[in-house]
Amino acid sequence: MPRAAAPSAPRFEHRTDAGPALGVGTAVPRLSWTVPEAEPGFVQRAREIQISRAGETVTAVVESHEQVLVPWPAEPLRSRERAEVRVRVRDDEWSGWSEAGVVEAGMLSPQDWTARFVSPGALGGLDRPAPVLRGEIDIPEGIVSARLYATAHGVYEAELNGRRVGDEVLAPGWTSYPNRLRYQSHDVTELVTAGRNDLTVTLGNGWYRGRLGFLGRRALYGDRLALLAQLEVTTADGAVHVLATDESWTAGESQVVYDDLYNGQHTDLRRPVPREPDGAVVIVDADLGLLVAPDGPPVRVTGVLPAVAVWTSPSGRTLVDFGQNIVGRVRLRTRGHDTGHEIVLRHAEVLDDGELGVRPLRTADATDRWILAGPGEVALEPTLTFHGFRYAEITGVEDLRAADVEAIAVGSDLKRTGWFDSSHELLNKFHENVVWGMRGNFLDVPTDCPQRDERLGWTGDIQVFSPTAAFLFDSTGFLRSWLADLAAEQLPNGAVPFVIPDVLHGADPAAAAWGDAAAVVPWVLYQRTGDLGVLAAQLPSMRAWVDRISALAGTDGLWAGGFQFGDWLDPTAPPEAPADSQADPDVVATAHLAHSADLVALAARALGETGTAEQYEKLAARTRDAFAREYVTGGGRVLSDSPTAYALALQWDLLPNAEQRRRAGARLADLVRASGFRISTGFVGTPLIADALTAAGEVGVAYRLLLQTGCPSWLYPVTMGATTVWERWDSMLPDGRINPGEMTSFNHYALGAVADWLHRTVAGLAPAAPGYRSIEVRPLPGSRLTHASARHLTPYGPAAVSWERAEGRFRLSVEVPVGVTAAVHLPDGRDFPEVGHGRHEWESADPFAEAVSGRRATVRDVLDDEPAWRGIVEAAVSAGLAADEAGVAASLRAHFDAPASSLVDALVPGDVVRGAEELRRVLGAAFDATNP
């Protein structure tokens, strides 16, 4: 019997769709596979790849242990060429053959297109109904295969002989249109018939011509919609019959009288459907060299949610709750209305005094309108727009039934690859909210928010969230495409726009943490997938960005002055000034220069570019020296004395010696204690603070911060009913009012970046080599969790870690995929440096089995004893000494090193507090009860 099971069918590049990989944009697609199981000790030493194409089969045997993104081993594919690929692997003997994977090349050269972009001549103006274009072709008997290659200036929906082509939504999506335009490849063999065939395509404004950004601009890329389509039908005699867009096509108007991504879609069903549009089209000059095949999956419908409640608001409006904040549209079934009857749907994420809370939408109308054609039953669902919402207000439908309305979730159809679970229900709900936030905001580009007049690919958001994204979903193809746009939009001087694709066009958009996406995101993708191709493609962009900010730093090595977002949305910042954070912006900027220079050096070394690596290593070292000289004291204090400043310095090796690092870690932990274990970081510090506390040996403080439910905290929104991650820590105030700031979203993923710490540290599953070729299992359990687990579909197969604490024991289970080794570290200090594939279990004493006893030596010790501290807080708040835990902790900030016995006097100093004697008595009793 073979020592290994047959591998999985090969995967091509980063394509994840089930079935054939159509329209691949390279002639030499790399191959990956997994080995589902193997005997202990199995190691792949060779692979054999069999490629069948055009009736011929070739094989290639290579002595290698590689099984992820291995080179194409045969002659390059030609445009449109199809191949079947099988693989088997060998240790001492060959495994069985895998199932065949099917790959088909797309249009690899502009010369492959005979089609031209066409636009409706007198129709389809900016404020006119959505145009419909039509072409026809006669096909003889004996159809073997048919492909439709298409793209548009705007978005398109195609029908062939009255049947929908594909299941994509808002195709071709949003790219940097002046530099890159994706096209789609559709297998339409089942839709083509012998005889006359009609291809009709509806065009919408989409990102190309609709509103984009918060400045109210339209038609940023052009004022004319256009279609490029090429239908190729192969018959049994080998002939290829082609219908390509040209002057012979005709144009008409659809029933969609208005469409916009921000404002919604208006449809008049009384208008005749243009079965045979007869208007003329015109040729539009366009560079076909800009056409590219997709790297990742398209936008699709990813879920359907039923209405969970229908009721009447205080003002008499009909409201619907779908129970989940999603991105998509509403599908409504209605009947019995007269011709001309209007139905209006408005959307919002939250309620405000019992009504639809539309203020956070700013100027986005988010309204769909329908004018009906008669009393028959009809399903109303817009397809040329999308909204971010949990609630809908529906006008024009009496006695609406919950069964008649549902929410349709749309987004890039990413494959789920990561899961987390624990014994803490609120933490699990938070993690679920992170997943939903990513699902909604990864809509062709990684947007900041999906609902208001913005929805842009902000670089800072994805920079901090990319590790979490890479764990939760297979987002590599998606982000590779976005990075290609980033490189294309990068300014000649290397500056990176704040948003990609760039619709803001800032004069010099160099801002720390935002532009650093150019360096961080490629490195994250390499670490999580092992794809050196990402680094090779992006290294020039990475270098250009670091060169730009190095030039801004000047001769002293400090990046100081100029515009910065800083630690954006630090919770202490005023609602109207989100950049006004505790962390000094120069500290933030210089830290990012050092970090990105390090990443460029690492990327260059991975690619074998030694000279480049040494250049940026020297830059990073110079910047670290400048940071320490200017911003760090000998005792480890960092300028601005803020949690984010310490997190940056600790995580990015900006402190010169061990004693400074020790004292900086202690100071960070004390700042968290002084805040009452409430969060005090913004976009920059939030992804780092838990790791920084962990590295400082303050895991208990990190858990206290993680599991805090007071505002601001990660779990506070969960207690307020959130179903996605909010933009602000207090997007909704504790009294249920919406944050008064002009910028407030209830679906932002950036502050959910701590989920990566949940995966790596709470559960204990982390990559130890690029692509998870080796993994590190190092769970650090917390006293309030009795179990936690994480599972990830690595490029080599599923890896999983699960632990539980029960009956005085700690039990750890680990699953290691074939081709991977694991280093396992138990909380009791035992290490297992090289664990092979398979399932493994360990057991030890529960690190929290015995409660710590004895008196607390210092005030700090009291804060760190959660039950004791809770009793003190309850007594202090009841006595009116503070409003909440944060207030009590702030009163003790200067007394952490004092003896625990002085805590009461610190809270009630002398006789300056009215009723001091009684307050001391109450607090003293609480202290004695909790501090034996």
Side-chain angles (χ1 to χ4, degrees), residues 667-711:
R667 180 60 180 168
L668 172 61
D670 275 352
L671 290 176
V672 174
R673 294 182 180 100
S675 72
F677 303 98
R678 301 193 184 196
I679 200 75
S680 51
T681 53
F683 276 30
V684 169
T686 295
L688 302 175
I689 189 167
D691 278 303
L693 288 166
T694 302
E698 299 283 0
V699 178
V701 175
Y703 266 102
R704 295 282 291 280
L705 185 66
L706 173 72
L707 299 179
Q708 171 66 255
T709 57
C711 181

Side-chain angles (χ1 to χ4, degrees), residues 386-409:
F386 69 88
H387 311 288
F389 66 100
R390 171 176 171 172
Y391 301 94
E393 176 191 287
I394 300 179
T395 303
V397 180
E398 300 294 334
D399 301 320
L400 179 68
R401 304 177 305 182
D404 288 334
V405 60
E406 52 196 1
I408 310 301

Side-chain angles (χ1 to χ4, degrees), residues 93-149:
E93 55 186 309
W94 288 105
S95 71
W97 284 101
S98 71
E99 295 292 324
V102 178
V103 62
E104 186 174 292
M107 309 282 260
L108 303 180
S109 168
Q111 287 69 44
D112 294 321
W113 294 89
T114 58
R116 302 284 302 279
F117 274 95
V118 297
S119 179
L123 305 174
L126 186 56
D127 293 309
R128 296 290 301 273
V132 177
L133 277 63
R134 177 177 180 267
E136 60 182 27
I137 186 174
D138 288 321
I139 305 294
E141 298 284 350
I143 296 169
V144 173
S145 67
R147 300 288 184 268
L148 174 64
Y149 306 97

Side-chain angles (χ1 to χ4, degrees), residues 66-330:
E66 298 296 341
Q67 63 185 80
V68 173
L69 298 170
V70 304
W72 180 257
E75 289 295 316
L77 295 170
R78 300 183 303 276
S79 290
R80 312 175 184 84
E81 187 177 11
R82 185 181 181 91
E84 293 187 1
V85 183
R86 298 195 303 166
V87 63
R88 63 177 182 169
V89 297
R90 189 192 71 207
D91 185 351
D92 298 323
E93 55 186 309
W94 288 105
S95 71
W97 284 101
S98 71
E99 295 292 324
V102 178
V103 62
E104 186 174 292
M107 309 282 260
L108 303 180
S109 168
Q111 287 69 44
D112 294 321
W113 294 89
T114 58
R116 302 284 302 279
F117 274 95
V118 297
S119 179
L123 305 174
L126 186 56
D127 293 309
R128 296 290 301 273
V132 177
L133 277 63
R134 177 177 180 267
E136 60 182 27
I137 186 174
D138 288 321
I139 305 294
E141 298 284 350
I143 296 169
V144 173
S145 67
R147 300 288 184 268
L148 174 64
Y149 306 97
T151 189
H153 294 162
V155 296
Y156 74 90
E157 293 180 350
E159 291 186 353
L160 187 53
N161 297 323
R163 297 166 63 188
R164 179 83 151 82
V165 173
D167 55 5
E168 291 87 346
V169 174
L170 301 173
W174 189 16
T175 50
S176 173
Y177 295 133
N179 300 288
R180 302 171 65 249
L181 176 62
R182 283 192 297 258
Y183 69 91
Q184 287 72 45
S185 303
H186 304 278
D187 184 347
V188 293
T189 307
E190 298 302 316
L191 304 184
V192 177
T193 62
R196 177 64 54 87
N197 288 262
D198 293 325
L199 178 60
T200 58
V201 183
T202 302
L203 299 180
N205 291 314
W207 297 273
Y208 189 87
R209 201 177 66 170
R211 284 184 61 192
L212 275 182
F214 38 75
L215 300 178
R217 297 169 179 164
R218 292 197 297 171
L220 292 182
Y221 296 103
D223 60 3
R224 181 181 287 277
L225 301 180
L227 170 70
L228 181 75
Q230 192 160 310
L231 174 65
E232 299 183 349
V233 182
T234 303
T235 49
D237 59 2
V240 178
H241 309 267
V242 178
L243 170 63
T245 45
D246 59 17
E247 297 93 333
S248 69
W249 282 55
T250 55
E253 291 183 338
S254 73
Q255 295 178 322
V256 178
V257 297
Y258 176 86
D259 68 279
D260 184 81
L261 297 182
Y262 293 179
N263 291 340
Q265 179 174 318
H266 305 169
T267 307
D268 187 346
L269 297 178
R270 299 170 303 177
R271 294 172 59 87
V273 177
R275 296 296 182 191
E276 295 186 5
D278 56 6
V281 301
V282 296
I283 299 294
V284 175
D285 288 332
D287 181 3
L288 300 187
L290 301 181
L291 298 177
V292 296
D295 291 302
V299 177
R300 291 190 174 103
V301 171
T302 60
V304 178
L305 282 70
V308 299
V310 176
W311 74 101
T312 302
S313 76
S315 68
R317 306 277 185 170
T318 299
L319 298 181
V320 183
D321 180 8
F322 297 101
Q324 174 65 52
N325 194 3
I326 71 162
V327 177
R329 63 232 189 181
V330 170

Side-chain angles (χ1 to χ4, degrees), residues 816-829:
V816 181
V818 178
V820 172
T821 58
V824 179
H825 309 275
L826 270 62
D828 66 1

Side-chain angles (χ1 to χ4, degrees), residues 382-654:
T383 59
L384 300 179
T385 189
F386 69 88
H387 311 288
F389 66 100
R390 171 176 171 172
Y391 301 94
E393 176 191 287
I394 300 179
T395 303
V397 180
E398 300 294 334
D399 301 320
L400 179 68
R401 304 177 305 182
D404 288 334
V405 60
E406 52 196 1
I408 310 301
V410 303
S412 291
D413 193 14
L414 303 173
K415 178 183 177 182
R416 183 76 184 268
T417 56
W419 296 265
F420 171 85
D421 185 54
S422 77
S423 57
H424 198 290
E425 292 186 7
L426 292 181
L427 189 60
N428 294 343
K429 179 58 177 172
F430 168 74
H431 191 270
E432 181 183 347
N433 292 356
V434 173
V435 172
W436 272 103
M438 179 176 171
R439 283 184 61 178
N441 277 296
F442 274 48
L443 197 159
D444 212 55
V445 301
T447 58
D448 59 326
C449 61
Q451 73 298 97
R452 66 179 179 232
D453 54 354
E454 193 164 351
R455 315 183 193 189
L456 304 178
W458 283 92
T459 49
D461 299 52
I462 189 58
Q463 185 266 125
V464 300
F465 191 74
S466 54
T468 298
F471 183 91
L472 293 176
F473 290 88
D474 190 334
S475 48
T476 306
F478 175 96
L479 289 174
R480 283 199 66 170
S481 179
W482 184 80
L483 285 170
D485 286 331
L486 183 151
E489 298 271 26
Q490 207 162 356
L491 273 62
N493 67 4
V496 174
F498 301 148
V499 298
I500 301 295
D502 184 18
V503 297
L504 300 181
H505 302 297
D508 189 356
W514 273 247
D516 290 280
V520 172
V521 178
W523 183 251
V524 168
L525 293 183
Y526 169 62
Q527 286 292 298
R528 299 307 176 93
T529 68
D531 187 358
L532 277 169
V534 173
L535 295 184
Q538 297 300 133
L539 185 61
S541 168
M542 298 170 74
R543 293 185 62 181
W545 165 249
V546 173
D547 290 347
R548 175 56 183 157
I549 58 178
S550 175
L552 290 173
T555 57
D556 61 0
L558 302 172
W559 184 8
F563 171 79
Q564 293 290 350
F565 290 102
D567 192 22
W568 185 254
L569 287 172
D570 172 332
T572 66
E576 70 281 1
D580 190 7
S581 64
Q582 301 172 71
D584 187 286
D586 295 346
V587 170
V588 171
T590 303
H592 278 84
L593 170 56
H595 181 53
S596 285
D598 268 333
L599 295 183
V600 173
L602 289 168
R605 285 215 175 271
L607 292 168
E609 298 188 17
T610 303
T612 298
E614 291 175 349
Q615 173 188 345
Y616 289 93
E617 286 166 355
K618 291 177 182 177
L619 173 61
R622 172 176 174 267
T623 308
R624 282 194 295 269
D625 290 344
F627 184 98
R629 181 179 64 250
E630 187 76 11
Y631 301 138
V632 182
T633 71
R637 290 291 181 100
V638 181
L639 184 68
S640 67
D641 196 35
S642 68
T644 289
Y646 289 108
L648 291 167
L650 288 163
Q651 282 303 102
W652 294 348
D653 194 25
L654 300 174

